[in-house]
């Protein structure tokens, strides 16, 4: 890895791809074709069924759990641990002494819980009071301990950090800040698999997108996609990062020239309702030449309804890229190709 505020995934993402391809429940998510505004054909990477968790984050935390345990094994035994050994009895016994802790507004907690369960480790997830109890129930079904911490997401993050410091648990956050960058990079390394799946499909078809819309909370998915697109896609699209009006921390940081908090009301795009950017994600996006679009609450809700009408049940967060495309409402130019790509990042459940 490079300096703490930069990404360097190539060719490290291949390790993540190898890891997931070895999993029994892995398969590339489908690339669907939807009808968009002004009768535009829209490419849609459908993450709503990803590895039984129903969101792109199934590729993040589980991979980071595996990397953390492999590193700890090597530090303790002096032996390199092949990731395919994670299901062996001696490794699971070793992992049983580890607890992974995080805060979650949604799918990251599911990824941490699933990664811990798969390796024999434990998970403890801090949820703000705004997170529905139905989600807490899903976490408990995965074997995680759930702790209600704070009124809003920022307060649950602070509680998770304090928990790790006091208990000795491993903090597995998907955001980054000064002094905490390496583990979230592994999370983003897992997300790179999505871009690589699409690259392989576009290489085969030749049907490269001209515009890619990337929704962002702290920015992990957007940064991983932007990095991979800029580094190994044969044809380069325009990249548009999409945030809620209420939590445009990356756009605010871009305008300020430094990672900057963006305060605002709670957003119904709850997975994207992040007021503090990941410093690693922000630096990566600055280097990728992206532009920014924000969505109102009404535009987010309308996007989810529109995508559902096209056959994919999702949330305002999951449909945010499609919402930005609808907001811009481009009229096709017969003399210029326009093939937009969106990521439907999570299912409705």
């Amino acid at each position: 890895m490079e300096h703490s505020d930069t990404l360097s995934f190539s060719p490290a993402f291949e390790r993540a791809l190898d890891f997931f391809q070895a999993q029994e429940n892995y398969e590339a998510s489908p690339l669907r074709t939807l009808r968009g505004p002004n009768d535009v054909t829209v490419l849609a990477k459908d993450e709503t069924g990803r590895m039984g968790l129903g969101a792109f984050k199934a590729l993040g935390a589980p991979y980071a759990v595996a990397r953390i345990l492999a590193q700890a094994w090597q530090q303790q035994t002096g032996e390199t641990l092949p990731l395919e050994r994670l299901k062996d009895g001696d490794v699971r016994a070793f992992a049983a002494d580890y607890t992974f802790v995080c805060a979650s507004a949604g799918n990251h907690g599911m990824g941490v819980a699933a990664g811990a369960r798969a390796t024999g480790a434990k998970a403890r997830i801090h949820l703000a009071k705004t997170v529905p109890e139905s989600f807490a129930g899903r976490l408990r079904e995965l074997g995680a301990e759930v702790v209600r911490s704070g009124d809003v997401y920022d307060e649950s993050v602070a509680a998770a950090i304090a928990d790790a410091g006091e208990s000795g648990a491993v903090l597995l956050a998907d955001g980054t800040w000064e002094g905490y960058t390496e583990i979230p990079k592994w999370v983003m390394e897992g997300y790179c698999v999505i871009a690589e799946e699409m690259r392989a499909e576009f290489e085969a078809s030749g049907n490269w997108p001209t515009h890619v819309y990337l929704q962002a909370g702290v920015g992990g998915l957007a940064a991983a996609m932007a990095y991979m697109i800029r580094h190994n896609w044969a044809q380069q699209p325009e990249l548009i990062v999409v945030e809620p009006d209420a939590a445009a921390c990356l756009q605010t940081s871009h305008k300020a020239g430094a990672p900057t908090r963006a305060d605002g009301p709670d957003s119904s795009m709850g997975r994207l309702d992040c007021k503090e950017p990941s410093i690693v994600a922000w630096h990566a996006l600055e280097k990728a030449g992206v532009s920014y679009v924000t969505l109102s609450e009404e535009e987010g809700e309308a996007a989810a309804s529109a995508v559902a009408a096209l056959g994919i049940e999702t949330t305002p967060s999951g449909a945010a890229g499609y919402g930005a495309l609808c907001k811009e409402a481009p009229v096709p130019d017969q003399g210029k190709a326009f093939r937009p790509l969106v990521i439907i990042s999570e299912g409705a459940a």
Side-chain angles (χ1 to χ4, degrees):
M1 291 291 182
E2 296 178 4
H3 186 264
S4 63
D5 63 358
T6 61
L7 295 180
S8 180
F9 289 142
S10 299
F13 80 90
E14 295 175 355
R15 181 169 43 196
L17 185 62
D18 289 344
F19 170 75
F20 284 110
Q21 287 178 337
Q23 308 304 308
E24 294 178 358
N25 62 344
Y26 169 79
E27 60 180 347
S29 62
L31 187 64
R32 305 191 188 281
T33 301
L34 306 180
R35 188 60 56 191
N38 297 324
D39 212 33
V40 167
T41 297
V42 181
L43 301 169
K45 183 68 164 168
D46 182 1
E47 295 292 304
T48 63
R50 177 69 79 173
M51 297 183 74
L53 294 186
F56 76 96
K57 290 198 173 185
L59 294 172
Y63 176 66
V65 166
R67 288 288 304 272
I68 291 164
L69 291 173
Q71 183 182 71
W73 177 276
Q74 185 169 30
Q75 289 172 346
Q76 184 165 318
T77 68
E79 300 172 359
T80 299
L81 179 66
L83 294 182
E84 59 267 22
R85 282 247 295 128
L86 285 169
K87 294 183 179 180
D88 292 353
D90 59 336
V91 180
R92 290 183 66 83
F94 173 81
D97 290 333
Y98 284 81
T99 298
F100 293 91
V101 64
C102 74
S104 182
N107 298 308
H108 178 63
M110 294 287 290
V112 173
R117 184 180 68 168
T119 57
K122 295 179 279 293
R124 185 161 55 250
I125 315 298
H126 289 260
L127 304 179
K129 72 176 185 180
T130 52
V131 178
E133 184 59 29
S134 59
F135 179 72
R138 293 180 66 196
L139 288 168
R140 294 187 185 102
E141 289 174 2
L142 288 171
E145 176 187 356
V146 175
V147 181
R148 289 288 182 175
S149 300
D151 293 334
V152 295
Y153 176 68
D154 283 357
E155 293 175 0
S156 63
V157 170
I161 294 170
D163 181 342
E166 294 165 4
S167 68
V170 178
L171 180 65
L172 205 172
D174 57 351
T176 64
W177 49 86
E178 291 296 337
Y180 183 79
T181 59
E182 197 68 11
I183 287 174
K185 284 180 184 176
W186 294 343
V187 173
M188 286 186 273
E189 202 170 292
Y191 300 159
C192 290
V193 169
I194 301 169
E196 179 60 15
E197 290 173 353
M198 291 190 288
R199 185 206 61 77
E201 192 159 350
F202 295 141
E203 286 281 5
S205 70
N207 189 34
W208 294 90
T210 60
H211 297 69
V212 180
Y213 294 83
L214 300 166
Q215 57 265 64
V218 299
L221 173 65
M225 296 300 97
Y227 181 94
M228 292 298 292
I229 288 168
R230 292 298 186 234
H231 278 73
N232 74 348
W233 281 25
Q235 295 189 27
Q236 288 295 303
E238 292 186 28
L239 300 179
I240 303 96
V241 174
V242 187
E243 300 176 284
D245 285 341
C249 62
L250 291 161
Q251 185 181 62
T252 299
S253 299
H254 173 70
K255 291 177 178 178
T260 303
R261 182 177 176 85
D263 286 312
D266 292 343
S267 172
S268 64
M269 288 169 272
R271 311 298 192 258
L272 309 182
D273 190 13
C274 302
K275 314 302 188 188
E276 294 272 4
S278 160
I279 60 172
V280 171
W282 176 75
H283 279 285
L285 291 170
E286 287 296 288
K287 293 179 178 180
V290 305
S291 61
Y292 290 91
V293 174
T294 63
L295 296 183
S296 69
E297 299 302 289
E298 294 76 17
E299 288 165 338
E301 296 284 354
S305 297
V307 171
L310 294 170
I312 304 177
E313 294 291 335
T314 187
T315 65
S317 298
Y322 188 88
L325 172 62
C326 291
K327 183 172 183 174
E328 295 188 337
V331 177
D333 182 344
Q334 297 301 318
K336 185 178 181 181
F338 180 66
R339 288 186 298 275
L341 166 68
V342 301
I343 298 176
I344 309 301
S345 57
E346 65 177 4

